Amino acid sequence: MNTTTLTDSQRQQLRAQLEQRKEQLLQELDAIQRDTLGVAEAAGRGDAEPAGSSRDQANSMAAGMVRDAEAARDHAELVAVRAALERIAAGSYGECTDCGQSVGVPRLLAQPAAARCIACQSKAEAQGHR
Ligand SMILES: [Zn+2]
């Protein structure tokens, strides 16, 4: 098996996965946003945790922080997924964005949004950004 070049069907399969992931992330981000905006209202509508006590407020603040972290992670992934789809459209998908070498088919199959080969990814992570 050739592990450096994607076949057309592999590329199509990965593109479908990326499109699907993009939709999922958009929905998640949308839900998180609605959730954040709707917390005050929801408390009055009775479809959320009963509001009023200080313990509930602390819980909802903690939940808000979790949501923020989720939103940030989803957003970062969405950016990576969109960039991968752009690389597919541009025909550069599967090439490391840093060194231009093949990212490697097994790596792409495991992580369709991977932008860098393992060597460059390790380097980037060592420098503190992904
Ligand atoms: Zn590289």
Side-chain angles (χ1 to χ4, degrees):
M1 177 180 160
N2 187 336
T3 57
T4 57
T5 315
L6 287 166
T7 64
D8 284 348
S9 68
Q10 279 173 329
R11 192 178 290 107
Q12 274 168 26
Q13 189 198 328
L14 289 171
R15 195 179 64 169
Q17 275 181 32
L18 285 163
E19 294 280 3
Q20 211 175 12
R21 188 66 187 140
K22 188 177 79 172
E23 287 306 313
Q24 205 181 350
L25 286 166
L26 286 171
Q27 276 174 23
E28 273 177 34
L29 283 166
D30 197 44
I32 290 168
Q33 203 174 30
R34 257 201 316 264
D35 210 26
T36 309
L37 294 174
V39 170
E41 282 173 69
R45 283 203 310 268
D47 57 354
E49 301 275 309
S53 79
S54 58
R55 188 162 160 266
D56 287 332
Q57 277 176 17
N59 280 347
S60 83
M61 272 178 67
M65 281 162 68
V66 170
R67 268 199 306 270
D68 286 351
E70 276 174 7
R73 205 173 47 215
D74 282 352
H75 190 258
E77 192 183 343
L78 183 61
V79 168
V81 166
R82 277 193 173 139
L85 286 165
E86 277 168 23
R87 288 195 302 278
I88 290 175
S92 62
Y93 183 68
E95 291 167 17
C96 173
T97 54
D98 282 6
C99 70
Q101 300 291 308
S102 169
V103 171
V105 172
R107 177 162 162 77
L108 289 172
L109 292 176
Q111 223 181 313
R116 299 184 181 99
C117 68
I118 289 170
C120 291
Q121 183 64 43
S122 313
K123 244 184 277 176
E125 279 173 17
Q127 286 166 7
H129 54 80
R130 306 166 54 106

